[in-house]
Amino acid sequence: MKTFIDVFYGIEYDKLFPMSKKAGFDGFFSGEIYANDAVALEDVAALAQKHGLEWETSHATGPHCETIWSEGDEGERYCDVLRANIDNCRRFGIPLLVVHVSPDFSKQPKFDLGIKRLESVVEYAKIAGVKIAFENINSPEYLFDTLAHFNDAHVGFCYDVGHETCHTPGVRYLPRIGDRLCCTHLHDNDGKGDCHWLPFDGVIDFERTARELKTCDYRGNLTLELAYHSHYGKKYTREEFLAEAYSRTKRLQKMINGK
């Protein structure tokens, strides 16, 4: 298994890339603030090449993703944003775009309307040679039904263990859709908020997570999605934090492999 990382708060990419490479990571994924900014992505690409890091995925633009499922022009405009995200993936050789599936239930979401919109986005991505991975957020049934609708190898599942714990407690995604898993967002939290702590620093049962990843025969990357919070700054320098992050990732890998 290769190891990847994004630290979306507290460590800028010009520091993150050389330090994560030194720590042992194979590469990174770029966060949602970059997905629709080709100028910023050019700088990211240059840094990645300089430090010999592989670009695993791009996180799609986050704001307004919920509008896909509701009537109105906003949903159509968000689909245009996703197509622009896909164009950037193709331009910079990013193989996979991670997309949130998170309807706003206060706006009377309509599943059929959202799927019709996503059909055009998925087809656009297929032509571009970019895979789509739908990520779990707050609505398990919408995710399950979306993946069931797009039942082909070009569409998969991004498993966010932190979202599972704090947004949909009691729901286990891997036993249900682990066969569609193509990438991971790994981090820890207190069960209440999306803290993006280092694995093993919160309440998430990574023993169970490791068993479930092994059961679904996952052979892809282990990818951390972290924030360098102030309490980490009191304990670790940035370089020490990334070394610790890599150590935690290898610990999880050993658990998955049963070692």
Side-chain angles (χ1 to χ4, degrees):
M1 290 180 169
K2 291 184 176 181
T3 57
F4 290 76
I5 191 169
D6 183 44
V7 180
F8 63 85
Y9 174 81
I11 308 178
E12 299 298 325
Y13 277 2
D14 61 342
K15 302 293 191 303
L16 175 65
F17 283 14
M19 290 179 182
S20 59
K21 181 69 173 182
K22 181 179 179 181
F25 286 97
D26 297 291
F28 69 102
F29 81 91
S30 52
E32 62 183 70
I33 64 170
Y34 297 94
N36 214 25
D37 188 340
V39 174
L41 288 173
E42 285 183 354
D43 293 338
V44 173
L47 274 172
Q49 183 176 22
K50 177 180 178 181
H51 297 289
L53 292 169
E54 184 179 341
W55 203 335
E56 183 205 32
T57 62
S58 169
H59 197 303
T61 302
H64 309 299
C65 64
E66 75 285 350
T67 62
I68 281 180
W69 309 100
S70 299
E71 292 181 348
D73 293 339
E74 278 189 297
E76 300 297 334
R77 288 196 294 270
Y78 185 73
C79 288
D80 289 338
V81 170
L82 288 179
R83 282 185 277 269
N85 291 174
I86 291 164
D87 287 339
N88 282 331
C89 285
R90 176 175 54 184
R91 175 178 174 182
F92 293 100
I94 309 167
L96 193 152
L97 181 70
V98 175
V99 178
H100 281 176
V101 180
S102 53
D104 182 346
F105 289 100
S106 72
K107 295 183 178 180
Q108 299 180 320
K110 295 178 172 60
F111 181 77
D112 289 344
L113 172 61
I115 286 295
K116 183 178 180 181
R117 286 169 171 161
L118 286 175
E119 284 175 345
S120 67
V121 172
V122 168
E123 182 61 24
Y124 191 85
K126 187 176 293 187
I127 293 169
V130 176
K131 190 170 182 176
I132 299 291
F134 291 111
E135 179 181 353
N136 58 294
I137 304 290
N138 64 350
S139 50
E141 294 306 323
Y142 267 67
L143 175 60
F144 297 149
D145 291 346
T146 298
L147 286 173
H149 182 83
F150 295 107
N151 188 24
D152 64 65
H154 193 73
V155 175
F157 168 43
C158 174
Y159 173 56
D160 191 305
V161 67
H163 292 168
E164 177 182 64
T165 302
C166 68
H167 294 321
T168 55
V171 176
R172 303 302 300 175
Y173 290 91
L174 292 177
R176 178 83 176 263
I177 51 175
D179 61 323
R180 304 294 299 279
L181 183 61
C182 59
C183 59
T184 58
H185 286 175
L186 303 170
H187 46 101
D188 214 334
N189 61 49
D190 59 3
K192 300 175 183 178
D194 195 19
C195 308
H196 291 271
W197 293 338
L198 288 166
F200 309 104
D201 276 359
V203 302
I204 294 177
D205 184 353
F206 280 100
E207 290 282 354
R208 181 169 63 179
T209 299
R211 288 196 304 270
E212 291 178 353
L213 287 168
K214 184 175 183 178
T215 298
C216 67
D217 198 29
Y218 179 63
R219 300 176 185 273
N221 305 321
L222 295 181
T223 302
L224 299 187
E225 185 182 25
L226 303 178
Y228 182 66
H229 293 292
S230 58
H231 72 272
Y232 282 126
K234 297 175 182 177
K235 186 175 182 179
Y236 305 113
T237 66
R238 287 170 172 79
E239 191 168 13
E240 289 168 344
F241 176 78
L242 292 169
E244 185 64 24
Y246 183 74
S247 176
R248 306 284 181 98
T249 311
K250 300 307 286 187
R251 176 181 168 187
L252 179 59
Q253 182 178 353
K254 288 180 179 179
M255 291 163 60
I256 296 168
N257 294 334
K259 297 179 180 179

